[in-house]
Amino acid sequence: MTVDTLSPAQATALDLALAIGENAAFDGWTPAAVEAAALSEGVDPALAMLTIPDGAVGLIDLYGQGVDKALAEALPPETLAAMKIRERIRSLVWTRLQIQEPAKEAIRRALAILAMPQNAPAAARLSWRSADVMWRMAGDTATDYNHYTKRAILSAVYGSTLLAWLQDDSDGNADTAAFLDRRIDNVMQFEKWKAGLGKAERPSVTRFLGRLRYPPR
């Protein structure tokens, strides 16, 4: 679904998404955060309550959609087209983190909610969607085996970088930037290695994802 095909109610909810995340840092992923976001954005709170999804996971999902929208606005196709693929992926991940900076504490709460066993399917779906959005913005059109490996790898890169970012108190998140650069270097090395293999042999994606999630110190 694109922004152009949204119903008025969906558009209203999406317009409130980032503000909901920012208020969730204080009120949690609750109706209170929705009401505060509506008031800050000049929307009738009663109307906002009718447009937003139910439950904490629904609000987290909506926030992720708002981040996707803001990311597309921050990095339009003509901007990304001028970059090499490594720079595109780095810019997409880094800009995504910057967009979420005002909601950093809420992101921490969101990850705790998504870590609950009953929310595992939603967590996997949201992680995959984030990676898929970034790859599509980067210009990826693969539909074969590479479609899945690229998204699985980027999910691991983004997930591990997100955790590093949540713990980062360095100036300008410099430690996170360095961490992200190392993870992307790993990916580029993996891609070169994969390109050099014969068609009959495929690299161990599972082993590589483990290295990305639990990199050596």
Side-chain angles (χ1 to χ4, degrees):
M1 182 179 295
T2 66
V3 174
D4 292 337
T5 62
L6 295 178
S7 69
Q10 291 171 326
T12 297
L14 193 58
D15 287 342
L16 290 174
L18 294 186
I20 290 172
E22 293 173 20
N23 282 282
F26 306 98
D27 299 315
W29 295 94
T30 66
V34 177
E35 181 177 1
L39 291 171
S40 70
E41 297 299 310
V43 175
D44 182 350
L47 174 62
M49 292 297 181
L50 293 174
T51 62
I52 57 94
D54 294 329
V57 172
L59 291 179
I60 294 166
D61 187 339
L62 176 64
Y63 177 75
Q65 294 176 52
V67 173
D68 291 339
K69 178 174 179 285
L71 186 63
E73 292 170 351
L75 293 171
E78 59 270 21
T79 298
L80 291 169
M83 303 177 186
K84 293 183 178 180
I85 186 62
R86 183 193 190 284
E87 186 181 358
R88 290 181 200 174
I89 295 301
R90 189 202 186 278
S91 294
L92 286 162
V93 174
W94 185 250
T95 302
R96 193 177 189 92
L97 294 177
Q98 290 180 309
I99 291 168
Q100 295 177 98
E101 186 71 37
K104 197 166 188 176
E105 180 56 37
I107 300 301
R108 187 176 283 108
R109 294 187 183 191
L111 291 182
I113 292 169
L114 293 174
M116 296 177 180
Q118 67 270 28
N119 295 331
R125 176 174 57 82
L126 297 181
S127 176
W128 185 269
R129 186 180 69 194
S130 295
D132 184 54
V133 166
M134 287 189 281
W135 266 119
R136 289 182 185 278
M137 288 182 63
D140 179 64
T141 58
T143 57
D144 58 2
Y145 171 77
N146 285 323
H147 173 91
Y148 299 99
T149 59
K150 285 180 177 180
R151 282 148 183 80
I153 290 169
L154 185 53
S155 290
V157 169
Y158 176 61
S160 61
T161 305
L162 187 69
L163 293 177
W165 171 71
L166 287 172
Q167 302 171 44
D168 190 359
D169 58 3
S170 63
D171 187 26
N173 290 316
D175 290 348
T176 301
F179 182 94
L180 174 58
D181 286 336
R182 291 195 296 273
R183 298 287 73 75
I184 292 181
D185 284 344
N186 291 155
V187 173
M188 293 299 103
Q189 292 167 10
F190 179 76
E191 287 298 316
K192 289 179 181 178
W193 175 50
K194 186 174 66 173
L197 292 176
K199 292 184 178 180
E201 182 181 5
R202 285 178 175 170
S204 174
V205 176
T206 301
R207 183 183 303 172
F208 182 69
L209 293 179
R211 289 181 56 197
L212 290 174
R213 290 193 178 97
Y214 309 106
R217 296 182 180 276

